Amino acid sequence: MHSNFADLHAQPRFEKKLDATGNAACTLTVAADADNFWVLDWIAWSYSGDPTGGKCTVSIGGVNVFEVDVTSGGPGLLHFDQHELYNASQTKNEALVVTLAAGGGSVVGKLQIRYR
């Protein structure tokens, strides 16, 4: 990502958080980079059982740009391939943070993202 536009040919990168414990949030943070701004291509998650208060939140530069409730266990996938997810007022050098809320009880969450 250069000059504050999404470079569709940029090499995708992956992050994952697969080692959460029961009733713990999964948080992935892509550090701010002075030369880039981040675009999210997809989010994959799972809960080991039905969560209580399950939710996935995305913030860029400290601004929440996306939030969705997750109401059942098992895998889920959100693709943003036609409309990549980013903060329209974002500038370079802002962190990307994706959080899968704690599932409650002994429910374990897992989270993976692809970004550019």
Side-chain angles (χ1 to χ4, degrees), residues 4 8-9 17 22 24 36 39 48 56 68 71 74 79 88 90 93 97 107 114:
N4 290 355
L8 299 179
H9 302 290
K17 177 70 175 168
N36 292 293
V39 175
S48 62
C56 185
V68 63
T71 58
H79 270 276
Q90 169 183 356
N93 206 26
V97 180
V107 175
R114 183 177 113 165

Side-chain angles (χ1 to χ4, degrees), residues 8-9 17 23 30 33 39 41 48 57 67 76 91 97 103 109 115:
L8 299 179
H9 302 290
K17 177 70 175 168
N23 199 27
V30 179
D33 183 317
V39 175
D41 292 323
S48 62
T57 306
E67 183 176 289
T91 60
V97 180
Y115 67 99

Side-chain angles (χ1 to χ4, degrees), residues 65-86:
V65 295
F66 182 82
E67 183 176 289
V68 63
D69 292 326
V70 180
T71 58
S72 63
L77 178 65
L78 287 171
H79 270 276
F80 302 108
D81 26 331
Q82 292 184 352
H83 301 285
E84 295 81 9
L85 184 62
Y86 61 95

Side-chain angles (χ1 to χ4, degrees), residues 5-60:
F5 70 92
D7 179 357
L8 299 179
H9 302 290
Q11 183 69 33
R13 303 173 193 192
F14 299 88
E15 293 288 334
K16 60 187 173 183
K17 177 70 175 168
L18 304 176
D19 60 352
T21 59
N23 199 27
C26 293
T27 301
L28 293 174
T29 301
V30 179
D33 183 317
D35 294 325
N36 292 293
F37 77 99
W38 304 122
V39 175
L40 194 56
D41 292 323
W42 55 256
I43 303 170
W45 72 87
S46 69
Y47 281 115
S48 62
D50 288 341
T52 56
K55 181 187 326 187
C56 185
T57 306
V58 177
S59 66
I60 299 174

